[in-house]
Amino acid sequence: MTDSFLYAAVRTPFGRYSGALADVRPDDLAAAALTGLLAKAPGLDPARIDDVIWGNANGAGEDNRNVGRMAVLLAGLPTSVPATTVNRLCGSSLDAAISGSRAIVAGDASVVVAGGVESMTRAPWVLPKPSRAFPAGGLEAVSTTLGWRLVNPRMPAEWTVSLGECNEQLADKFGISRERQDAFAARSHALAARAWDDGFYRDLTVPIADLDRDEGIRADSSAEKLARLKPSFRPSGTITAGNASPLNDGAAAVLLGNSEMSGTIGLDPLARIAGRAAHALDPQDFGFAPVEAAGKALRQAGIGWSDVGAVELNEAFAVQSLACVDAWDIDPEIVNTRGGAIAIGHPLGASGARILGTLAHVLRERKQRWGVAAICIGVGQALAVVLENVTT
């Protein structure tokens, strides 16, 4: 067996719901990320790509079931390049990267592109198909943008509450205040704005549809301003539109390969994928699932939290992020040093590849050896990956 390395990463800027990317189809978003990634390795013959593994949480509309294959075709890659689409909801593109790295470790592939896409704006409404023709009653169109839909009545009610209610329960369980959540959210915006101003994301993004910067970042945000927002899920709750990730559109991709492919790719690797893990628990506790997922990945890598110098944790909600950081008992200042999903955005299928690519670049920037990328996933799951910086 051989090691798997991350050679390059790119993403589109993330657009707000019904914002700058509203007119861009998800398959076109995916193709843009794929094209942008390959532009970073101009010496790589696209025909040498063994597989494209793409994440997508919807698939019900223009995603067209296998949006990975659609992206390959739309990006003009040889038709001989295969592609598949995986769905682990919010973790889909991190799942794609994990699958790609495993294929390389097993010797089944030498070069793999992994990534993901989501257009939450263009997610369609769906109608349940009646089991018999000409039903007498009406049918309700259901949004596929986010969360449960067409729920099986056999599911226990406590499993199928809204994502927001799940995280209000997490706030109750761990005593995480509204004030802490708003402060965490304000930090996310400040760090993301600074990262763009510093030029950190210029090398990690490819403009699309005249959007050259993440659309949702509010540089003037503050805990005081966020404190004025009304709770979104409970009348006296703690979660608001300001301390949770928004709905977004975007795509992200990473280029993976074994060590022998450096000359073929034309790049030196950024990081070695040293550990990977999945974890699951009760569906309503999904926000806390990264705690054990990261622990498993660290054990696989043979290191502990004391070795970790950078963490990219997808900020689905401020409360779940704080619960995870508290449980890990790590310095919060090493977490999301270039902003997180509350500011940058969370287009479901793209976020895993975003945090993985960002982590590799943060490790290089901060000259740290070890980092963790972790993401919570609706219905009680999480994924985590450990990277080892190989640029120092």
Side-chain angles (χ1 to χ4, degrees):
M1 292 195 298
T2 185
D3 284 324
S4 176
F5 294 86
L6 190 154
Y7 280 86
V10 77
R11 66 178 177 88
T12 69
F14 288 172
R16 297 176 64 182
Y17 186 80
S18 297
L21 301 182
D23 293 331
V24 184
R25 290 171 54 112
D27 47 5
D28 285 327
L29 284 171
L34 182 53
T35 302
L37 182 72
L38 294 182
K40 289 181 169 292
L44 173 64
D45 179 359
R48 294 294 303 271
I49 298 170
D50 294 303
D51 208 355
V52 173
I53 307 176
W54 210 256
N56 179 238
N58 199 316
E62 295 164 335
D63 320 81
N64 209 1
R65 294 190 177 96
N66 186 0
V67 70
R69 178 62 173 169
M70 306 306 159
V72 165
L73 298 175
L74 289 167
L77 272 65
T79 57
S80 60
V81 177
T84 187
T85 299
V86 299
N87 185 350
R88 206 190 287 251
L89 302 181
C90 304
S92 295
S93 55
L94 194 59
D95 207 10
I98 288 173
S99 296
S101 71
R102 285 177 176 151
I104 291 167
V105 169
D108 293 337
S110 298
V111 179
V112 174
V113 171
V117 65
E118 211 73 50
S119 174
M120 301 179 81
T121 298
R122 298 178 73 88
W125 289 286
V126 297
L127 287 172
K129 181 184 275 187
S131 56
R132 293 177 178 81
F134 313 118
L139 293 175
E140 180 182 358
V142 179
S143 173
T144 65
T145 299
L146 180 69
W148 292 86
R149 57 189 187 238
L150 305 177
V151 179
N152 192 315
R154 295 175 54 229
M155 286 283 187
E158 63 269 23
W159 288 359
T160 63
V161 296
S162 72
L163 302 178
E165 173 57 27
C166 290
N167 280 274
E168 287 287 8
Q169 293 176 20
L170 205 61
D172 291 343
K173 181 176 181 179
F174 293 105
I176 297 174
S177 68
R178 166 76 183 270
E179 290 72 22
R180 283 191 70 194
Q181 294 176 54
D182 287 345
F184 183 88
R187 173 183 181 269
S188 183
H189 283 280
L191 292 178
R194 186 183 308 161
W196 274 104
D197 291 344
D198 291 347
F200 175 82
Y201 284 122
R202 293 297 174 192
D203 186 50
L204 272 168
T205 55
V206 54
I208 183 171
D210 297 325
L211 184 65
D212 61 1
R213 184 176 173 126
D214 296 313
E215 193 175 13
I217 298 171
R218 295 181 174 86
D220 62 347
S221 183
S222 67
E224 292 73 23
K225 290 181 179 178
L226 292 171
R228 301 182 194 131
L229 299 177
K230 294 181 179 180
S232 298
F233 302 100
R234 294 180 183 176
S236 58
T238 63
I239 298 173
T240 71
N243 59 33
S245 61
L247 306 178
N248 295 94
D249 309 326
V254 294
L255 180 61
L256 307 176
N258 63 32
S259 60
E260 297 175 356
M261 294 304 292
S262 180
T264 300
I265 293 172
L267 299 170
D268 292 326
L270 295 171
R272 179 176 71 93
I273 297 177
R276 52 187 90 71
H279 184 66
L281 36 62
D282 288 347
Q284 68 270 29
D285 296 329
F286 77 93
F288 199 62
V291 173
E292 185 53 29
K296 289 179 180 179
L298 287 167
R299 289 191 290 273
Q300 187 184 86
I303 63 170
W305 277 113
S306 62
D307 301 300
V308 174
V311 175
E312 284 294 318
L313 172 63
N314 193 58
E315 298 169 355
F317 295 83
V319 63
Q320 62 84 205
S321 301
L322 289 165
C324 292
V325 173
D326 290 350
W328 289 329
D329 193 23
I330 58 174
D331 180 0
E333 293 305 310
I334 71 170
V335 179
N336 299 351
T337 58
R338 289 307 199 167
I342 289 173
I344 293 167
H346 180 22
L348 306 179
S351 289
R354 178 192 74 79
I355 63 172
L356 191 64
T358 300
L359 178 63
H361 282 257
V362 167
L363 287 172
R364 183 177 67 177
E365 177 188 58
R366 293 168 60 86
K367 296 180 170 57
Q368 295 293 321
R369 180 178 179 185
W370 298 102
V372 174
I375 191 164
C376 69
I377 301 165
V379 202
Q381 297 192 84
L383 293 172
V385 169
V386 174
L387 291 185
E388 180 185 18
N389 177 15
V390 296
T391 65
T392 58

